[in-house]
């Protein structure tokens, strides 16, 4: 059976992770023909050019200026609500800024820029931010902001000792008139997390390297990527272990379509800090673009081994690569783990993939359930019509077998 993958062009400069077609191999389904899960990179609601879980330095064109309100709630991974206040942070360019605390029921709300001095231990109050970068001018802190300017790459998270939070990528457009609804941020108990989203080598960077890195961030947010790249390179020359500067170099190169330069920079970031997870996630992505599915599987598995909580994108890359490699058990396992982790439903393709896997196993009932979930999450998908036709046939077959 031959599956035709859909190809989408993502915004900004590059079209990503699109494969023209692939053979399903020797395993032929005995059931009705299906549409394969889309390989197009699943993205968050607002951040199409970066992987969820990985910080970004790339600004969008023409961000609107208006007051921006947020609301949401926090709960633990066992379904309970916190009985004490939980800190809510906005993370921009890898640097956190305290915004609010939850109430007694786990709910929170705030207006952007209004709560920068709520807590004495907020990161803005410290001369050295938690990621080890001294802030000169607070590049993305927006201490006085009540607008959406420069919010590209920013995320909202909860902070509670012993737990890691889901993150919410801040939208850049199409805001609800009543504000931005973050939804539920789930706090996951840290039991198997060895890797980090911030490099532990950052705090050791000398002052000159820090200044170059910060200047690079400032230039990148203004759209001057050529000049930004020079400062990031200078930072790595001054401090070769500066993993986040190597990562920034990789992101700039990736944005400009220089895949090999991006790959080398991400590998250098790993060489500087082997427990810094974001470069593994991006290398899995680059390998998937090139159809190097074993590399994609290896890099995504390394990311998940280090941090199975904060990188849902790596679950998708792992599921997709194993699907291509015809390792269906591994693909199914990663897709199911992704669905449990993806509380924001940013990866509806996982449901499509599980529907196809169940169909290949002859489980038409489970296949129908997953395909129906896929359509509910992504009703305007490019393949929605063909999936609906398939569902009609599966439902008819299931009714007939039930008689």
């Amino acid at each position: 059976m031959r599956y035709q993958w859909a190809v989408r062009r993502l915004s900004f400069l590059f079209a990503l992770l699109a494969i023209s077609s692939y053979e399903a191999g020797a395993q032929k389904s005995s059931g009705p023909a299906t549409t394969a899960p889309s390989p197009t990179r699943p993205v968050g609601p607002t951040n199409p050019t970066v992987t969820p879980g990985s910080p970004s330095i790339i600004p969008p064109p023409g961000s609107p200026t208006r007051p921006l309100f947020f609301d949401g709630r926090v709960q633990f991974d066992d379904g309970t609500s916190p009985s004490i206040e939980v800190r809510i942070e906005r993370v921009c360019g890898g640097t956190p800024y305290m915004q609010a605390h939850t109430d007694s029921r786990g709910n929170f709300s705030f207006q952007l820029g209004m709560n920068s001095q709520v807590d004495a231990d907020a990161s803005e109050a410290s001369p050295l931010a938690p990621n080890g970068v001294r802030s000169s001018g607070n590049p993305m802190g927006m201490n006085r902001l009540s607008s959406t300017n420069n919010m590209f790459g920013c995320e909202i998270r909860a902070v509670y000792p012993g737990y890691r939070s889901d993150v919410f990528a801040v939208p850049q457009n199409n805001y609800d008139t009543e504000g931005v609804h973050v939804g539920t941020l789930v706090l996951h108990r840290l039991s198997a997390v060895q890797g980090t989203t911030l490099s532990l080598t950052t705090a050791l960077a000398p002052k000159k390297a820090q200044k170059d890195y910060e200047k690079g961030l400032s230039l990148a947010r203004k759209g001057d990527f050529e000049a930004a790249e020079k400062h990031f390179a200078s930072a790595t020359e001054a401090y070769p272990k500066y993993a986040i500067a190597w990562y920034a170099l990789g992101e700039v190169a990736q944005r400009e379509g220089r895949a090999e330069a991006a790959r080398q920079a991400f590998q250098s970031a790993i060489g500087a800090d082997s427990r810094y997870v974001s470069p593994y996630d991006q290398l899995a992505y680059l390998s998937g673009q090139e159809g190097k599915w074993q590399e994609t599987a290896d890099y995504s598995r390394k990311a998940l081994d280090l941090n199975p909580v904060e990188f849902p994108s790596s679950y998708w890359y792992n599921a997709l690569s194993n699907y291509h490699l015809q390792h269906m058990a591994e693909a199914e396992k990663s897709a199911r783990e992704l669905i449990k982790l993806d509380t924001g439903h940013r990866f509806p393709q996982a449901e499509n993939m599980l529907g196809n896997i169940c169909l290949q196993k002859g489980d038409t009932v489970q296949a129908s359930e997953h395909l129906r979930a896929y359509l509910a999450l992504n009703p305007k998908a490019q393949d929605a019509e063909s999936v609906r036709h398939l569902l009609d046939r599966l439902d008819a077959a299931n009714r007939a077998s039930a008689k």
Side-chain angles (χ1 to χ4, degrees):
M1 180 182 300
R2 186 174 181 88
Y3 296 108
Q4 183 69 34
W5 290 104
V7 178
R8 295 179 187 170
R9 174 171 292 275
L10 299 180
S11 60
F12 292 99
L13 295 182
F14 49 87
L16 301 175
L17 196 57
I19 307 301
S20 61
S21 62
Y22 79 98
E23 293 292 335
Q27 296 186 10
K28 306 282 185 177
S29 171
S30 59
T34 78
T35 56
S38 169
T40 305
R41 182 183 186 185
V43 298
T46 64
N47 199 351
T49 60
V50 297
T51 303
S54 299
S56 171
I57 61 171
I58 311 299
S63 297
T65 301
R66 71 182 83 169
L68 187 56
F69 299 88
F70 293 79
D71 68 82
R73 65 185 302 271
V74 174
Q75 71 177 37
F76 291 110
D77 52 11
D78 63 0
T80 61
S81 297
S83 58
I84 61 175
E85 290 184 347
V86 172
R87 179 183 174 115
I88 304 299
E89 290 182 344
R90 170 174 49 89
V91 183
C92 298
T95 302
Y97 303 93
M98 205 283 293
Q99 291 292 162
H101 288 86
T102 58
D103 61 20
S104 59
R105 295 183 178 181
N107 299 314
F108 66 87
S109 62
F110 62 89
Q111 180 180 345
L112 182 62
M114 296 300 293
N115 297 331
S116 60
Q117 301 299 325
V118 169
D119 197 334
D121 69 348
S123 59
E124 287 112 328
S126 172
L128 187 65
N131 67 352
V133 180
R134 291 183 181 274
S135 176
S136 58
N138 206 4
M140 288 193 69
M142 296 176 285
N143 288 335
R144 297 177 296 168
L145 286 185
S146 60
S147 76
T148 61
N149 281 343
N150 299 324
M151 284 298 290
F152 186 83
C154 293
E155 298 174 331
I156 306 299
R157 71 182 182 188
V159 179
Y160 191 75
Y163 289 79
R164 289 278 177 93
S165 170
D166 288 346
V167 296
F168 174 81
V170 178
Q172 295 304 302
N173 48 39
N174 297 326
Y175 296 109
D176 190 298
T177 56
E178 297 180 357
V180 177
H181 303 290
V182 175
T184 300
L185 299 177
V186 178
L187 290 167
H188 304 269
R189 183 181 295 276
L190 294 179
S191 57
V193 174
Q194 303 175 46
T196 63
T197 58
L198 298 176
S199 171
L200 300 180
T201 67
T202 304
L204 302 177
K207 188 173 182 179
K208 179 183 183 304
Q210 292 184 18
K211 287 185 175 180
D212 270 320
Y213 175 71
E214 291 181 15
K215 182 63 175 178
L217 289 180
S218 177
L219 289 166
R221 292 177 189 120
K222 295 175 182 177
D224 191 349
F225 298 105
E226 183 177 354
E229 186 172 11
K230 292 179 181 178
H231 282 278
F232 292 142
S234 178
T236 61
E237 290 172 5
Y239 180 44
K241 289 289 186 180
Y242 210 168
I244 62 172
W246 283 115
Y247 183 82
L249 272 174
E251 194 181 17
V252 170
Q254 189 176 20
R255 184 191 188 279
E256 295 179 342
R258 293 183 285 118
E260 185 55 35
R263 181 183 296 274
Q264 292 177 6
F266 292 140
Q267 289 172 340
S268 294
I270 292 172
D273 183 355
S274 62
R275 293 194 173 187
Y276 181 30
V277 183
S278 296
Y280 293 105
D281 184 74
Q282 289 295 324
L283 284 167
Y285 175 40
L286 287 173
S287 297
Q289 283 183 275
E290 299 170 5
K292 298 178 180 178
W293 297 116
Q294 189 58 58
E295 283 189 13
T296 305
D298 292 342
Y299 280 125
S300 58
R301 176 44 54 193
K302 182 63 175 180
L304 295 174
D305 287 344
L306 286 171
N307 190 329
V309 174
E310 295 180 285
F311 288 84
S313 51
S314 282
Y315 279 107
W316 173 244
Y317 303 149
N318 194 260
L320 183 61
S321 58
N322 279 300
Y323 193 89
H324 274 277
L325 294 168
Q326 293 295 300
H327 300 159
M328 293 302 171
E330 291 86 348
E332 180 177 1
K333 180 179 179 182
S334 289
R336 291 190 184 278
E337 288 296 323
L338 171 57
I339 288 173
K340 288 192 293 185
L341 186 65
D342 183 25
T343 57
H345 303 301
R346 293 185 290 178
F347 297 83
Q349 294 94 327
E351 293 283 5
N352 195 350
M353 176 179 286
L354 283 174
N356 280 269
I357 291 174
C358 289
L359 192 56
Q360 291 185 33
K361 293 163 63 175
D363 189 343
T364 57
V365 174
Q366 284 288 316
S368 295
E369 291 180 3
H370 287 296
L371 293 174
R372 191 167 283 108
Y374 168 65
L375 289 177
L377 294 172
N378 198 13
K380 296 183 179 180
Q382 187 172 352
D383 60 351
E385 191 61 28
S386 60
V387 173
R388 290 189 183 96
H389 288 314
L390 171 60
L391 267 174
D392 289 340
R393 296 195 296 273
L394 288 176
D395 289 342
N398 289 334
R399 286 192 298 269
S401 64
K403 292 181 179 179

